[in-house]
Every structure is written in C-alpha cells, then in structure tokens.
Amino acid sequence: MIDKNSVSVILCAGKGSRMNSARPKVLNTICGKSMLGYILDAQIESGIGRIIIVCNSENIDLIRSNTNKDIEIDYVVQSKQLGTADALKVAATNTNFKDISNLFVFLGDTPLVTNSDITYLSDSLKSNDILIASFETENPTGYGRIIRDNEGRVCNIIEEGDATTEEKSIKTCFSGIIIFNNISILSLLDNIKNDNSKKEFYLTDVIKIADNNNLNVRDVLLEYDSVRGVNDYIQLSQTEKIMSERIMQKFMKEGVHISLADTSFIHPNTQFGKNVTVEPNVYIGEGVIIGDDVIIKSFSYLEGVNIKKGATIGPFARIRPESNIGENSKVGNFVELKNANVADNVKISHLSYIGDASLGSGTNIGAGTITCNFDGVEKYKTIIGKNAFIGSNSSLIAPIEISDNSYIGSGSVITKDVPTNSLSLSRSEQVTKNNWVKKRSTKK
Ligand code: UD1
Ligand code: CA
C-alpha cells in the first residue's frame, strides 16, 4: 500500500540529445500514448497522491498540455541541465514539501514501470532510508552499475563513463527509480559534486554519501523489461514491442480475438465490447470504441471512431477521427471516412470517400461514391437520409442534402438537393449508333 502522502518527482528536463529530434523526449509515443503518459498512469493507479514533473524551459508547455490528469501535478523548470541530482534539487526547492511521507523519484524515459512494480517497491521500503530499484541485464552498457560492500549491501552506483573495466562487467544496474523514506534525506544532495566524466551532478552519488552517513540503503530487483530506459529510437522501438505485447495480452485476456497479434497496432485506451475479432495487420489509433460482435478486417486503419454492435470494417478501410458507425453497418475495402456519422444498417462496401457527412439508416452507397466536401477554400456537409440508394460512381457536391428513400443514378454529379422518394440523375443520355463499326469500315 502506498501512503497517500507520498510524492513522486519525475525527471523530464534532459535535452534527450541521443534522440536527435526536436520533439520532447518524454512525449515520444509508444503504441500511440506518450512515455510520460504511461509513467503517470502507473503512478496514479498505485495511489501516489501528488506528482511533480521537472521540465526544461522549452518542453514545459508541451508537457503541461499533454498531461491532463485528475491529480495534482506541479510543473517546475530546471533552467540548466546540470544533472539528475540538480533536477531533484530544483523540484525540492520549488515545491512545498510539507506533510510529505515518502518521496519517489522516477526518470521520464523509463515508461515500462507498472503500478504493481511501484506498489512492490513501496512495500519493500519498510524501515530502510533509501530504496532503489535495480535490474540485471546481459548488456548493461549505458546504465549505472550497482556496487556492493563485503556484506552485499548497496554502497555506491558508478556511471558508465566513470566505471573501471572491472566495474563495467557488473550486470546489476540502477533503474533510475529511488524512494527516500523521508525528505530530510534530500539534504544529502547538497554534498554531491560534479567531478565526473560528464561534469554533471549525478543523483546516483547520493547512495555513496548515504552509505558514508550510515543510512540504510537497499535495492529491490525488478525485471529488465519493467525498467529499461529509452535514450534513442532503437530503444524506443524495443520498448514499444514489449508494451505492445502487454497491451495485446490485456485485450485478449478480456476476450478480444486478435489474430496474429504481433502484426497489429492497438492504442492502449481502445474500448472493446464482447465477441470482437481483429484480423491481422490492423492499426487502431487513439479514441476508438468498438461495440459487441464487430469484425475489423485486415489492413484497416482506424482513429477516433465509435463503431456500434455488429458492424464490419474493412479489409482496407480507413476511418478518420470524429466518425460513428451504426449497428450492423458495413464499411468495406478502399473506403475512407472522415467526420462521418453513419447510422445503422448502412452499406458502403467499396471504393468511396465519405467526409463531413451524415448517412441515415438503411442507406446504400455504391462503389466509387465521393462526397465532394471541399471547394478549395471551405469544407461543406453532405446529408443523406434513410434508405437512400446512391448509384455507383456518383459525385455529391456539398453542401447537399439527399432526402429519405431517394435514388441517385450511377455516374451522376449531383449539385442540387434531392427531395424524398425521388430519382435524380445528371449524366448525359446514352447514344447508340447501330452497325457503326461496319459503316465505318466500308468508308475506307
Ligand atoms: C540514468 C542514471 C543511470 C541509470 C539510468 C537508467 C544518473 C546520473 N544516471 O542515466 O544510473 O542506470 O538513468 O535508465 O542518474 N534529467 C533531468 N535533468 C538533467 C539530466 C537529466 O531532468 O539535468 C532527466 C532526463 O530528462 C531523463 C532522466 O533525467 O528523463 C535521466 O537522464 P539521462 O540523461 O537519460 O540519464 P542516463 O544516462 O540514462
Ligand atoms: Ca536515460
């Protein structure tokens, strides 16, 4: 159990230079959700009462606007990136730490840590002054190595750049997660110096200082796959694979049939009903709600859509945000929808673009129908009523309304509203010249 007076500090002020990208490192996404988003959710689920995020002056606005959570979050700025110890000091000096029990420190680039890891660490703290999370890996390059005394107790952490060859061979590493039993221990940060290879104030140096002051330091081993760090896009990709497997397993345990799950991408916040099938090679991005008995066929790409019971999507469908698909409706191959409200029992089976449109129940959209929603300057709406039949290869020039039960002849370009129960067509009449071929050949 986590004491509700616990506070967490998440260090996100580094420049992320190994990413070689202008995007704030902690806002890089994994399965569509930011690294920081995962860390925050794990902490909120674990019951930590208050969170402080240490940002830099360039990333604070983006971080703030991307972290709308129902929890008190303080954002503080570390103006110069002097190291992780300095970042924690900035948090401590800019925040009122009255009534705080335990203080957790997390790194913003360690997104795989879970709510149960955090609870396990908290339960292991007991009367120790400092608890750190460690892990073992065959390839520890880049991580701080855990140094133990003759009795096996943690007495120091040595960073890669300052480690001897012998220390580099140590495979137990520091995850970046530290819990301080009470905040008075933070006064030790004042003794940290930057006389190291990077000329930074390392938070890891607090362990040696604590050991010298006879404080009790302990480590708890977590799985590498719970704490691996993300410093470049290769590590981001490795982390995404692990996270994706977790997300797929969670949905499959809840009863979603995901065929060849490692071929698909599913955002963790997707909502699934019962008896849903997801065929291989599907992309489900942010904001997708899928009702009971829905089938998402291969190569479909979905974002921001609410799909109701019994609908069939794809193969090769693309549904863009702010769309709704009604019960038992069908969106077939090479159909693109954008901001489209599709009622129940609608069929859009092949090769169509339906944008800024609403379609009444029972309507059938023929192959090749295009809602022409953009005149080069503005976007306009297409409204189609119930039980309408739009013949194949029709262009509906918006703004336009086609009322209930009406038919549009194939190949029409429709520019004027169509009243109920009507047939409207706008193509030129067919001309057939009998025996034209023979007459033409005798002319020669
Ligand atoms: C850090 C640890 C290392 C550990 C590894 C785990 C230190 C000195 N080293 O190394 O022991 O094994 O994480 O992944 O702590 N940050 C700031 N301000 C700064 C510098 C960094 O807020 O001045 C933030 C970064 O944004 C990042 C985190 O702290 O989220 C860690 O910094 P990073 O430079 O990635 O440290 P590592 O070299 O990975
Ligand atoms: Ca790191």
Side-chain angles (χ1 to χ4, degrees):
M1 266 286 287
I2 296 210
D3 187 318
K4 66 175 184 349
N5 293 322
S6 296
V7 167
S8 138
V9 177
I10 310 176
L11 308 184
C12 301
K15 297 284 185 195
S17 45
R18 286 168 279 185
M19 297 302 258
N20 201 12
S21 155
R23 186 180 305 125
K25 176 175 168 183
V26 298
L27 296 182
N28 277 289
T29 56
I30 292 176
C31 301
K33 174 168 154 177
S34 74
M35 293 209 274
L36 182 58
Y38 287 100
I39 299 172
L40 286 171
D41 283 352
Q43 296 186 13
I44 293 166
E45 283 163 32
S46 75
I48 287 175
R50 188 172 155 205
I51 295 173
I52 298 154
I53 303 180
V54 183
C55 309
N56 62 48
S57 51
E58 283 134 47
N59 68 18
I60 184 164
D61 292 338
L62 268 173
I63 287 182
R64 200 197 292 268
S65 60
N66 276 280
T67 47
N68 284 330
K69 300 279 174 192
D70 295 334
I71 184 174
E72 187 184 340
I73 300 182
D74 292 323
Y75 302 85
V76 299
V77 172
Q78 183 194 22
S79 42
K80 279 197 190 134
Q81 280 55 63
L82 300 177
T84 44
D86 179 70
L88 181 57
K89 263 170 88 171
V90 168
T93 41
N94 286 280
T95 322
N96 177 4
F97 274 175
K98 207 168 140 269
D99 300 328
I100 284 179
S101 55
N102 305 326
L103 181 96
F104 290 69
V105 180
F106 293 89
L107 308 183
D109 63 358
T110 309
L112 289 164
V113 67
T114 64
N115 149 25
S116 50
D117 294 328
I118 298 172
T119 312
Y120 173 52
L121 292 172
S122 172
D123 291 346
S124 310
L125 177 63
K126 301 197 176 108
S127 59
N128 294 291
D129 296 302
I130 298 179
L131 185 103
I132 60 172
S134 55
F135 63 95
E136 281 172 355
T137 171
E138 280 309 304
N139 181 12
T141 309
Y143 291 110
R145 311 298 206 280
I146 306 264
I147 311 293
R148 298 182 193 277
D149 64 16
N150 294 336
E151 275 128 51
R153 279 192 303 246
V154 180
C155 60
N156 199 0
I157 298 172
I158 301 282
E159 291 302 306
E160 173 91 20
D162 306 294
T164 61
T165 312
E166 196 186 330
E167 285 163 342
K168 278 186 186 154
S169 69
I170 296 173
K171 301 224 160 81
T172 310
C173 304
F174 173 51
S175 67
I177 303 171
I178 308 189
I179 313 177
F180 293 95
N181 208 337
N182 67 72
I183 51 157
S184 64
I185 306 170
L186 291 188
S187 61
L188 298 182
L189 298 179
D190 293 334
N191 302 327
I192 293 177
K193 306 217 160 40
N194 66 347
D195 49 359
N196 51 52
S197 62
K198 284 196 181 163
K199 298 277 169 283
E200 281 186 7
F201 295 90
Y202 293 157
L203 181 54
T204 41
D205 283 351
V206 80
I207 302 302
K208 187 174 182 186
I209 296 167
D211 188 62
N212 290 342
N213 282 271
N214 294 321
L215 295 186
N216 214 321
V217 182
R218 210 199 126 185
D219 72 316
V220 164
L221 210 60
L222 293 183
E223 291 291 323
Y224 181 34
D225 284 352
S226 273
V227 289
R228 44 164 85 216
V230 175
N231 298 306
D232 57 31
Y233 282 103
I234 296 169
Q235 290 174 335
L236 185 73
S237 159
Q238 290 161 343
T239 303
E240 189 164 39
K241 261 192 188 152
I242 296 164
M243 191 65 91
S244 179
E245 205 175 315
R246 275 191 201 169
I247 293 167
M248 295 297 180
Q249 288 192 2
K250 172 182 167 274
F251 288 135
M252 289 190 278
K253 278 184 192 150
E254 287 169 6
V256 185
H257 174 206
I258 307 173
S259 174
L260 299 181
D262 59 351
T263 66
S264 285
F265 176 110
I266 301 185
H267 190 288
N269 296 353
T270 306
Q271 293 177 38
F272 285 99
K274 299 214 176 314
N275 303 321
V276 173
T277 297
V278 178
E279 292 186 355
N281 293 298
V282 162
Y283 177 97
I284 300 179
E286 199 169 2
V288 176
I289 301 173
I290 299 177
D292 297 348
D293 306 317
V294 167
I295 302 179
I296 312 290
K297 297 191 176 182
S298 291
F299 303 104
S300 294
Y301 191 106
L302 318 180
E303 297 167 285
V305 56
N306 186 343
I307 303 169
K308 293 273 164 57
K309 186 176 161 64
T312 307
I313 310 296
F316 296 99
R318 176 169 185 212
I319 307 185
R320 292 165 55 196
E322 296 186 49
S323 295
N324 290 289
I325 313 292
E327 288 189 12
N328 301 314
S329 286
K330 183 179 174 200
V331 177
N333 30 220
F334 306 107
V335 171
E336 176 180 348
L337 302 187
K338 185 212 82 174
N339 182 23
N341 263 306
V342 176
D344 300 343
N345 301 306
V346 171
K347 289 196 174 73
I348 318 169
S349 296
H350 343 257
L351 300 160
S352 287
Y353 171 66
I354 305 294
D356 302 314
S358 87
L359 276 52
S361 59
T363 281
N364 192 316
I365 305 289
T369 298
I370 307 288
T371 56
C372 307
N373 59 333
F374 186 48
D375 63 1
V377 182
E378 289 204 46
K379 300 270 170 72
Y380 302 96
K381 278 213 80 139
T382 299
I383 298 168
I384 303 177
K386 295 178 190 157
N387 302 314
F389 186 98
I390 311 298
S392 294
N393 203 26
S394 297
S395 299
L396 311 176
I397 315 290
I400 193 142
E401 183 163 355
I402 295 159
S403 297
D404 296 353
N405 305 322
S406 286
Y407 278 61
I408 302 297
S410 291
S412 294
V413 175
I414 300 296
T415 55
K416 298 188 200 102
D417 289 352
V418 178
T420 52
N421 297 312
S422 321
L423 166 68
S424 190
L425 62 163
S426 71
R427 56 184 190 233
S428 51
E429 222 166 283
Q430 182 169 337
V431 178
T432 303
K433 298 187 176 178
N434 291 331
N435 287 320
W436 178 85
V437 176
K438 280 188 183 159
K439 284 176 197 159
R440 175 170 165 259
S441 55
T442 53
K443 264 190 195 164
K444 280 185 184 170

